[in-house]
Amino acid sequence: MSRTPPARPPEARIPRAGLTADRLVAAAADLADEAGYENVTLSALARRFDVKDASLYAHVRGLRDLRTRMALLAGGEMIDRIAAAVEGRTGKEALAAFAGAYRGYALAHPGRYAATQIPLDEATVTDSPALRRTAEVTYGLLRAYGLEEPDLTDAVRLLRSSFHGYCALESAGAFGAPRDLEASWDRMIDALHLTLRNWPRRAAD
């Protein structure tokens, strides 16, 4: 006797009443975490609100604008976590707290985190309180090591590439050795702390 296959659950939809840019961006960020940043499209977002694609243009200018807003939203969430983690801490303790909050956000919210990596135009960066705060917290951490420009910028790039690279490889399951991931992470923080303490100073170019 044949059995009728169970019906697929309907796609989750969000009530469209009171549709705003903020609600769209928050829904897009959730979609990015659930389905992947690359799968965030205006069509996919419109389906969530059960509206036509054209309806979204009353709130965002297009996909690029939506993704820029997602980057700012996620950047704000991320720096809030980092700032709370480093508050009252200095030196290696602050570095470890900063790194841990960074990693925690990247792993818990992969789609949102991916949005923070897109290039933004200079005017957007300048006008964003969240991005200005990110710079203040990051540079404040590094100035505690006695760094000034151009060493500050070089050190920021070192930290960002180290944290991002580790998180990207961890998310992809690319660490195949049996060595504990937490142990390797802690050793990386140790190495970065020693590097920052012993940074080779150089004059501005």
Side-chain angles (χ1 to χ4, degrees):
M1 179 178 178
S2 62
R3 298 179 60 187
T4 303
R8 294 179 60 188
E11 182 180 356
R13 300 188 187 278
I14 302 173
R16 62 182 177 180
L19 192 60
T20 64
D22 288 345
R23 289 187 68 209
L24 286 175
V25 174
D30 289 343
L31 177 60
D33 282 342
E34 296 163 11
Y37 174 76
E38 68 282 357
N39 292 315
V40 176
T41 64
L42 292 177
S43 293
L45 192 57
R47 287 195 295 273
R48 285 213 157 194
F49 285 93
D50 197 21
V51 298
K52 297 184 181 299
D53 294 12
S55 300
L56 303 188
Y57 286 93
H59 308 284
V60 295
R61 293 189 297 273
L63 184 59
R64 174 63 188 177
D65 181 42
L66 176 66
R67 289 182 169 177
T68 295
R69 291 170 184 257
M70 287 171 57
L72 298 177
L73 170 68
E77 292 175 345
M78 191 170 184
I79 194 55
D80 283 347
R81 288 195 180 192
I82 291 172
V86 303
E87 186 176 5
R89 294 181 167 88
T90 59
K92 182 183 174 182
E93 187 180 357
L95 176 63
F98 186 112
Y102 183 110
R103 181 183 177 211
Y105 188 85
L107 297 180
H109 300 287
R112 280 170 157 83
Y113 175 70
T116 69
Q117 302 304 306
I118 68 171
L120 301 173
D121 62 70
E122 185 176 351
T124 299
V125 173
T126 300
D127 293 341
S128 168
L131 298 185
R132 290 198 302 271
R133 189 178 185 212
T134 299
E136 291 168 1
V137 172
T138 306
Y139 279 80
L141 170 75
L142 294 172
R143 285 196 177 95
Y145 283 94
L147 298 182
E148 298 295 340
E149 293 293 6
D151 298 320
L152 274 173
T153 296
D154 293 339
V156 168
R157 290 173 178 172
L158 171 64
L159 294 188
R160 184 180 180 189
S161 57
S162 298
F163 300 159
H164 175 70
Y166 199 100
C167 292
L169 291 168
E170 183 177 2
S171 295
F175 290 129
R179 170 74 164 161
D180 179 65
L181 289 177
E182 297 303 322
S184 294
W185 175 262
D186 290 342
R187 293 296 286 161
M188 184 178 76
I189 302 306
D190 289 342
L192 288 171
H193 173 63
L194 289 174
T195 298
L196 293 172
R197 283 189 61 190
N198 298 281
W199 193 273
R201 276 27 176 213
R202 58 180 298 181
D205 297 333

